[in-house]
Amino acid sequence: MTAPERREESHMALMITDECINCDVCEPECPNDAISPGEEIYVIDPARCTECVGHFDEPQCQQVCPVDCIPLDPERPETREQLMEKYEIITAA
């Protein structure tokens, strides 16, 4: 199985690790307004994170992060279908 195939099968909300340098490039890129300043670093609201499903082919925050500190959150597995459902709920409001 290739890396893109594994990526296609594993979906979940994203998270920001403590390697975050608070550069502020990720927050404006999030189409779901899921990223906000936290107490020490930026945070991602898992209820709003769809990995950009419904908007883009790749998570935009990961694309712009200069320190590569936005991995998948292993505590929040979701299927592509669940992410699409979340996207539809968020965009309908």
Side-chain angles (χ1 to χ4, degrees), residues 42-92:
Y42 277 82
V43 295
I44 296 177
D45 178 353
R48 297 195 64 83
C49 179
T50 65
E51 282 189 60
C52 290
V53 168
H55 294 284
F56 301 102
D57 291 334
E58 296 287 328
Q60 297 302 288
C61 59
Q62 286 181 329
Q63 298 299 309
V64 298
C65 181
V67 292
D68 195 28
C69 68
I70 309 176
L72 296 170
D73 184 348
E75 300 294 318
R76 302 186 186 282
E78 296 175 287
T79 65
R80 182 167 182 83
E81 291 76 25
Q82 289 171 315
L83 293 171
M84 183 56 84
E85 287 174 23
K86 193 188 311 185
Y87 159 79
E88 290 169 355
I89 291 167
I90 292 168
T91 57

Side-chain angles (χ1 to χ4, degrees), residues 16-37:
I16 297 177
T17 66
D18 60 3
E19 284 97 30
C20 175
I21 59 172
N22 289 310
C23 67
D24 190 39
V25 297
C26 60
E27 183 181 19
E29 295 300 318
C30 181
N32 297 321
D33 295 323
I35 301 174
S36 62

